[in-house]
Amino acid sequence: MTATTAESTEPTPGSSASRAAQILARPVSINGLTVPNRIVMAPMTRMFSPGGVPGEDVVSYYARRAAAGVGLIVTEGTYVGHESAGESDRVPRFHGEEQLAGWAKVAEAVHAAGGTIVPQLWHIGMVRRPGKPPFEQAPAVGPSGIRLDGTQDGRAMTRGDLDDVIGAFAEAAAAAERIGFDGVELHGAHGYLIDQFLWAGTNRRTDAYGGDPVARTKFAAEIVAAVRASVSADFPVVFRYSQWKSDNYDARLAETPEELEAVLAPLAAAGVDAFHASTRRYWLPEFDGSDLNLAGWTKKLTGRPTITVGSVGLDGDFIRGFAGEGSPVKGLDDLLDRLEREEFDLVAVGRALLQDPEWAAKVLAGRFDDLAPYDAAALKTLS
């Protein structure tokens, strides 16, 4: 973490800056991992890894943020070892000798800078388009061969397909521990494969993997259990999930806390150590009658540590950033209030950290005036 040496820049006791330092700088434990503070780098797809191999620029990109005070880095999504897992040859993969050697360098550099790091393990399922790399002939597969828009042009997964994907996640998790990572995050959000099983809109199966919410959770729970069995008992397993999908912001897995508990309980029982609850705006309540956001409800229902995320530090939706729109800086008082009352445990920061590698250092030192608005041009570089 970058230290402040000028006395005049020290936060005034009782100020928002002082509160930020006190509340965000506290360590927190996830299973056997102690994270040095409450700031998490959110996973953000960057597509700077030709051949699926993270190079020295990717090493520097993550290490720079760890050196500036990010407590836990969740890497961009990385494809597991299944041919239908992705659709780009520039998105990193978490299988293959050269790819894993690149990731080992990332982990080493982050540790040297004082941070902790987990890879996000990813399979896109029915989001895959025909003929795309890295394996052009691989079909799009999902629970029912149904895309997020309701069209059916993929293949419903067989029992063999399910076993192959479950095995791919378990192998990637074992590799993460072997090459020095601190845990893993499973991408079960935003309409990708695991989420396609969780959501009734894409899961029309009539076997044990479809039907009511608990049955739709079976595939995800089996992945969690296989991952849990492939790594050490104190190696953290984080599960990221969302209500919204990448092209359906009104989609919901659960309309009530009771329905949400039906989804989360099997995952917690299977071995999830922490949940990463993805929302577009962290300050919005998830259900009527309570101010709790999705991460807050998740913690209340499961008792597990939770990570909140969604436009932290910025006043504007991240989706508009892909259309070239920027976002002004937003204060953190409400976020600090929620952390102080332990609604959730950690805070994932996306665009603000993409824009400014020093964001965590500035916030922890109370240098709010030095924070810059988000410029969508930051998406085009790996700085």
Side-chain angles (χ1 to χ4, degrees), residues 22-255:
Q22 293 169 358
I23 294 169
L24 290 170
R26 298 171 299 160
V28 62
S29 293
I30 303 174
N31 195 348
L33 174 67
T34 298
V35 180
N37 61 48
R38 304 302 175 106
I39 299 175
V40 179
M41 182 176 179
M44 292 173 282
T45 298
R46 302 311 316 277
M47 301 181 72
F48 283 88
S49 298
V53 180
E56 291 301 326
D57 54 346
V58 177
V59 173
S60 299
Y61 166 75
Y62 287 116
R64 189 175 299 120
R65 285 152 178 84
V70 174
L72 173 64
I73 288 173
V74 182
T75 74
E76 61 205 287
T78 68
Y79 298 149
V80 296
H82 185 261
E83 288 194 350
S84 296
E87 63 170 5
S88 170
D89 203 34
R90 293 185 60 82
V91 168
R93 305 201 285 271
F94 216 83
H95 61 97
E97 184 176 351
E98 191 177 2
Q99 288 81 2
L100 292 176
W103 279 119
K105 293 179 181 178
V106 173
E108 181 181 15
V110 167
H111 291 153
T116 60
I117 183 169
V118 302
Q120 187 187 72
L121 307 180
W122 189 23
H123 192 303
I124 70 173
M126 287 301 303
V127 173
R128 176 175 164 76
R129 293 166 292 173
K132 290 291 182 176
F135 304 102
E136 286 83 357
Q137 302 306 314
V141 298
S144 305
I146 298 172
R147 295 191 181 275
L148 297 180
D149 63 4
T151 58
Q152 186 161 10
D153 65 353
R155 196 184 81 212
M157 294 174 71
T158 65
R159 176 69 252 187
D161 293 327
L162 299 178
D163 290 342
D164 288 345
V165 171
I166 291 168
F169 274 94
E171 289 171 12
E177 184 172 27
R178 185 174 67 250
I179 66 175
F181 278 80
D182 298 297
V184 292
E185 177 172 283
L186 310 179
H187 196 341
H190 307 163
Y192 297 112
L193 180 65
I194 294 174
D195 195 22
Q196 289 160 23
F197 275 83
L198 297 176
W199 188 41
T202 44
N203 187 343
R204 311 287 176 80
R205 296 177 76 97
T206 57
D207 62 3
Y209 294 88
D212 63 27
V214 173
R216 295 199 303 272
T217 308
K218 181 176 173 61
F219 179 60
E222 289 186 355
I223 290 176
V224 171
V227 165
R228 179 79 276 158
S230 73
V231 297
S232 301
D234 60 352
F235 191 73
V237 176
V238 181
F239 189 91
R240 193 179 212 217
Y241 82 100
S242 66
Q243 298 260 41
W244 64 277
K245 316 306 167 199
S246 57
D247 64 351
N248 187 336
Y249 304 135
D250 297 324
R252 297 176 71 79
L253 299 178
E255 297 290 348

